[in-house]
Amino acid sequence: MLKVYTVLCRAGAMDNYSYILQDEATGETAVVDPSEPAPIIKKLDELRLQPKYIFNTHHHFDHTDGNRKLKELYGAKVVANKNDAGRIPAFDIGVTDGETFALGHTKADIIDVSAHTLGHILWYFPDDKIVFTGDTLFNLSVGGLFEGDAAMMFEALSKIKQLPDDVLFYPGHEYTAHGLAAAQRFIGNTPEMKEYLHLAQERLQKGLPVAPLPLRLEKACNPYLQPRTLQEFKHLM
Ligand code: ZN
Ligand code: FE
């Protein structure tokens, strides 16, 4: 089982989320998408944790800028898509679609969701039912198409939709507030949308991250997860 600690980075600017994971059985620790060193080091110190790994979802600087510093300080090994070896800072270990990677006794499934970038991966922990979606899936929206096309994003999102409803998802940014109005218009006043709004507003008002929410709610309320065909999906992108 994993413990997950959320660290807000680039607050008020890009509002990235980095995550500290600890395998409870062994104490082994990893950082998902270290956006910038300072807030993550502060949190690691507070928790008295030393990361063994850095797990990247994709190569963009706002997800990898902490790689070098954390490697230097803790000797953490950088694990990322092997196809991105040339553009992930301080790259060490390559993984690819369909493989698993162990953090202590907890295993992650690597799922390729190339679209936001080519080589973007999900870190999915099936036993804990949690998934780190980087810049592919946000609360009520999705990432832009920097390198892939709409068909690739449709395919990527269909892989996420196949994950169980009770999986909790952790996105790479706090973008909930941006997606709320459009989602309400698109989805209408359904029971799930009401539940989503209630949870999101409650957390935002307290200054807490909206994540994690279950994929059940995202599947019901995220406009980009509604289309059944690529044609319909293209109208949204
Ligand atoms: Zn990105
Ligand atoms: Fe990003």
Side-chain angles (χ1 to χ4, degrees):
M1 294 297 285
L2 286 180
K3 268 192 183 146
V4 181
Y5 303 93
T6 300
V7 183
L8 180 65
C9 294
R10 303 175 192 270
M14 300 179 82
D15 292 323
N16 279 78
Y17 283 134
S18 300
Y19 299 100
I20 297 170
L21 314 184
Q22 188 189 24
D23 173 56
E24 292 185 289
T26 61
E28 277 191 16
T29 299
V31 178
V32 177
D33 281 356
S35 180
E36 53 174 347
I40 298 166
I41 293 167
K42 184 166 171 272
K43 188 71 179 175
L44 285 167
D45 283 354
E46 216 176 281
L47 297 167
R48 297 170 190 275
L49 294 178
Q50 305 216 336
K52 182 173 179 183
Y53 299 111
I54 292 158
F55 297 155
N56 287 136
T57 60
H58 67 294
H59 73 92
H60 284 159
F61 76 94
D62 60 313
H63 300 257
T64 58
D65 258 9
N67 283 11
R68 281 184 207 289
K69 189 73 189 173
L70 296 184
K71 184 167 173 170
E72 195 182 294
L73 282 177
Y74 305 103
K77 295 256 186 285
V78 174
V79 190
N81 192 323
K82 71 174 198 279
N83 297 326
D84 275 338
R87 57 182 190 171
I88 293 272
F91 179 94
D92 289 302
I93 301 170
V95 290
T96 193
D97 187 57
E99 285 182 7
T100 63
F101 191 88
L103 177 66
H105 293 170
T106 307
K107 95 179 162 39
D109 289 346
I110 307 301
I111 302 172
D112 191 296
V113 286
S114 290
H116 173 74
T117 64
L118 301 180
H120 193 305
I121 54 176
L122 303 179
W123 286 84
Y124 173 48
F125 294 84
D127 297 334
D128 287 68
K129 296 206 161 176
I130 61 180
V131 63
F132 297 90
T133 58
D135 283 0
T136 297
L137 183 69
F138 301 126
N139 293 95
L140 303 176
S141 65
V142 295
L145 297 172
F146 282 79
E147 296 170 12
D149 60 18
M152 294 173 80
M153 184 56 91
F154 185 65
E155 168 72 20
L157 297 175
S158 80
K159 291 183 184 177
I160 295 176
K161 283 204 264 186
Q162 284 163 31
L163 301 178
D165 280 357
D166 58 348
V167 168
L168 295 174
F169 93 97
Y170 291 85
H173 294 263
E174 180 56 72
Y175 286 163
T176 317
H178 305 284
L180 268 176
Q184 271 179 288
R185 252 180 282 122
F186 193 94
I187 301 292
N189 212 12
T190 62
E192 290 85 2
M193 196 69 229
K194 283 187 200 160
E195 189 183 349
Y196 204 116
L197 280 174
H198 175 75
L199 287 168
Q201 280 163 353
E202 195 175 56
R203 293 181 190 179
L204 287 171
Q205 274 161 14
K206 289 182 190 154
L208 296 172
V210 170
L213 288 178
L215 284 178
R216 170 182 69 83
L217 281 181
E218 210 57 37
K219 291 177 194 180
C221 300
N222 189 318
Y224 298 88
L225 297 184
Q226 306 314 307
R228 303 233 178 117
T229 65
L230 176 57
Q231 266 332 93
E232 282 175 63
F233 183 70
K234 278 181 173 168
H235 290 299
L236 289 180
M237 288 305 284

